[in-house]
Amino acid sequence: MTSPHRGRSLAALLLVPLVLTAGCASGPAAPAAPAARPSASLTPMDPPPIGDVPRLTEAGDRTLPIEAYLLSGEQFRQYDAAQTVLVARCVRGFGLEYSRPPGSGAAPSQSQTAHRYDPVELADVSVHGYHAPDPGGARKPSGGASMGAELTTVLGTGLGPGGKPAPGSATEFRGKGLPPGGCVGAAQKELTSRGGTGRDADVAVGINYEGFERSMTDPRVRTVFQDWSRCMGDRGYSYATPGDALKDSRWAAAATPSAEEIATATADVDCKARANVVGVWFTVETAYEDELIRQHQAELTAVRAGNDAMLELAGSVAAAGS
């Protein structure tokens, strides 16, 4: 079981390796993520009604209602392509050149449901147990020279909350004034000039978390957790919820999965299927999100309109090229 994906900053997607005439940049830092609110802080809400519950062993091909207001992986890539064009233009205005190496653009972004109720796949846990597979496989960093000070200065910091660059950002380069936040900041400002903010909206990220948090304490989900727990007990494992099995401290203490961990995770996946944990959980969470969206519909409608305007502009910029 995993928590919802964190809010993602589109600006951070630019901070990937760049090949310059003088070398290449280092890799990106992960975008900052807002913390999920604990269940205790949520106001009481009556359990929303649900319709028919499908039998599901995984939900990666399903869509949660809030995803209509969050930026998809493809939309991130569209924005990233436009941001690259604008930054290239800006950097050239300061007498520098760069190009990206193959595969250094925005990383693919999975759907919100891809790993929300993990583990759910026997083929995965039979090898990895509760350990996450290495997404990079055997690939190793290619190395190379670090980003030069000149490019670092011209790229800048980008824009933070309120559209302001981070303190200490340079204001000029070789006697020529830099835009606020450098070339990254200028690209962000242009791409959000018609709407959008360059990141997932707080209201949408909040609902993404809140629906998940509320679903875990819903009586219908707690019932299938109990069914799952009895199934696990019949196999010799004592856990109250799937989260307890996932967070067993023994797994984190080992660099690789033990035979016991693999056996436990395999039983976990099978018991989830027998109790229809994923089917009930996804259905209940969807119902909570529908209600939360109804409560915040005006805000979310504005969010989607802003994102649409931002992405339309990004598409025009990318099509025009540098």
Side-chain angles (χ1 to χ4, degrees):
M1 175 179 62
T2 59
S3 62
H5 299 308
R6 266 52 173 172
R8 305 151 296 177
S9 167
L10 292 168
L13 295 176
L14 181 73
L15 305 182
V16 294
L18 305 174
V19 174
L20 294 98
T21 55
C24 63
S26 58
R37 290 183 294 172
S39 300
S41 71
L42 300 177
T43 58
M45 177 187 289
D46 291 334
I50 59 174
D52 294 336
V53 177
R55 290 206 66 87
L56 300 175
T57 56
E58 56 89 23
D61 61 344
R62 301 286 175 133
T63 301
L64 288 164
I66 197 58
E67 293 190 63
Y69 306 96
L70 295 168
L71 292 157
S72 69
E74 181 55 38
Q75 289 170 330
F76 269 74
R77 287 185 284 273
Q78 183 180 357
Y79 184 102
D80 179 63
Q83 187 170 251
T84 299
V85 169
L86 294 177
V87 171
R89 293 177 189 169
C90 177
V91 168
R92 281 201 287 276
F94 290 90
L96 299 175
E97 292 287 341
Y98 74 83
S99 61
R100 280 179 157 176
S104 65
S109 178
Q110 294 175 316
S111 70
Q112 294 295 317
T113 53
H115 297 287
R116 206 171 185 95
Y117 314 112
D118 272 357
V120 294
E121 296 183 7
L122 284 173
D124 180 18
V125 298
S126 64
V127 176
H128 303 289
Y130 290 105
H131 280 66
D134 177 10
R139 294 194 305 270
K140 300 296 182 183
S142 60
S146 60
M147 185 186 296
E150 289 186 337
L151 181 64
T152 301
T153 299
V154 172
L155 284 179
T157 60
L159 302 178
K164 297 180 179 179
S169 299
T171 58
E172 67 174 47
F173 176 75
R174 295 177 180 170
K176 182 178 179 180
L178 285 166
C183 287
V184 174
Q188 288 177 256
K189 183 177 181 180
E190 181 169 345
L191 290 172
T192 60
S193 61
R194 299 179 187 174
T197 61
R199 61 184 295 272
D200 283 328
D202 288 345
V203 62
V205 173
I207 289 171
N208 191 27
Y209 277 111
E210 186 170 336
F212 184 80
E213 290 286 305
R214 288 187 184 278
S215 70
M216 287 194 294
T217 60
D218 182 274
R220 294 157 294 194
V221 173
R222 301 302 293 186
T223 295
V224 291
F225 281 179
Q226 291 169 2
D227 293 341
W228 172 90
S229 181
R230 282 193 291 271
C231 176
M232 292 291 283
D234 290 343
R235 298 164 187 230
Y237 303 104
S238 180
Y239 298 106
T241 72
D244 294 332
L246 177 68
K247 295 182 289 186
D248 190 316
S249 61
R250 292 175 296 171
W251 319 146
T256 57
S258 64
E260 182 179 9
E261 177 184 338
I262 289 173
T264 305
T266 300
D268 177 354
V269 170
D270 186 59
C271 286
K272 277 196 180 90
R274 290 175 182 272
N276 196 25
V277 169
V278 176
V280 173
W281 199 350
F282 171 79
T283 302
V284 169
E285 185 175 7
T286 295
Y288 278 107
E289 283 197 1
D290 281 336
E291 174 58 22
L292 292 166
I293 288 170
R294 186 191 67 78
Q295 294 176 10
H296 297 274
Q297 190 62 71
E299 293 172 82
L300 290 168
T301 298
V303 165
R304 185 153 59 183
N307 285 343
D308 288 345
M310 179 181 69
L311 293 165
E312 182 181 7
L313 178 55
S316 298
V317 168
S322 57

